[in-house]
Amino acid sequence: QNLPGFMIGRQLTVVCSFFLVASITGLNIEPGQGNNIFGIQDGAQKFLNYGFHGAVITTILASITWQLAASAFPIAFLNNPLTYILLVVALFLEWTGLCSGAWVLARVMKSAMGIQYDEVYVGTPEDRMANNHADKEMTIGQDVGHLTGGGFAGHLVGSHDALDGPIQ
């Protein structure tokens, strides 16, 4: 029930941290004046002035690292008190209504671009089974503790690629 709210609050938190880090790490050095940081070339100085390097570091440290940790160690990740604090912050941000515009934008995009539910594109489970693209059974022993699959014990939808045809 809270998953959509959490995901929107989480995304808002990530975007805010991107802007914050970019504004902190962005530089204001005029290229071509001979006082570039560390003596780098003018093109590299222009890049550093935008603060993109901070956004890349934020992506790696604040987003991807947490996802890999949650994928490899789901129980330890969920038992971490910091995870609970981040969950509460994300749900609070969604509760404030700051992110409610995302639902409006999603509905407008769905109407404008003709986007339909996944079943229209990949079919229902019964359709996939009839086309030899049945869901793959997975057990916990096959996946937990590895960085592939995220510790999800259940079904994987479709084949290796839905456009490649059935698995031989």
Side-chain angles (χ1 to χ4, degrees):
Q1 176 182 346
N2 287 334
L3 183 62
F6 165 74
M7 294 304 291
I8 289 176
R10 176 199 173 274
Q11 196 60 37
L12 180 65
T13 306
V14 169
V15 169
C16 288
S17 58
F18 283 161
F19 281 108
L20 178 67
V21 170
S23 66
I24 291 171
T25 60
L27 302 171
N28 194 14
I29 298 173
E30 187 69 31
Q33 302 295 326
N35 56 353
N36 292 352
I37 188 168
F38 305 124
I40 61 176
Q41 295 179 356
D42 290 343
Q45 184 62 53
K46 287 180 185 177
F47 176 77
L48 291 178
N49 285 348
Y50 288 117
F52 289 143
H53 59 287
V56 169
I57 291 171
T58 304
T59 301
I60 293 168
L61 294 179
S63 187
I64 297 173
T65 305
W66 285 92
Q67 291 174 11
L68 290 175
S71 172
F73 310 104
I75 302 300
F77 182 78
L78 291 174
N79 286 333
N80 186 344
L82 182 61
T83 302
Y84 180 75
I85 292 168
L86 292 174
L87 171 67
V88 170
V89 168
L91 288 175
F92 174 75
L93 283 172
E94 199 276 333
W95 175 82
T96 63
L98 290 173
C99 306
S100 295
W103 297 109
V104 175
L105 291 174
R107 194 157 292 202
V108 168
M109 283 183 57
K110 178 182 175 190
S111 298
M113 300 179 78
I115 299 172
Q116 300 177 16
Y117 289 106
D118 287 346
E119 286 80 14
V120 174
Y121 302 109
V122 296
T124 63
E126 294 80 18
D127 294 339
R128 291 191 303 269
M129 189 172 287
N131 292 330
N132 202 12
H133 288 279
D135 298 345
K136 299 175 209 142
E137 290 289 334
M138 294 204 60
T139 63
I140 291 177
Q142 291 175 309
D143 198 41
V144 172
H146 302 287
L147 294 178
T148 58
F152 174 76
H155 298 283
L156 290 178
V157 177
S159 67
H160 56 289
D161 187 341
L163 302 175
D164 287 341
I167 296 175
Q168 300 302 329

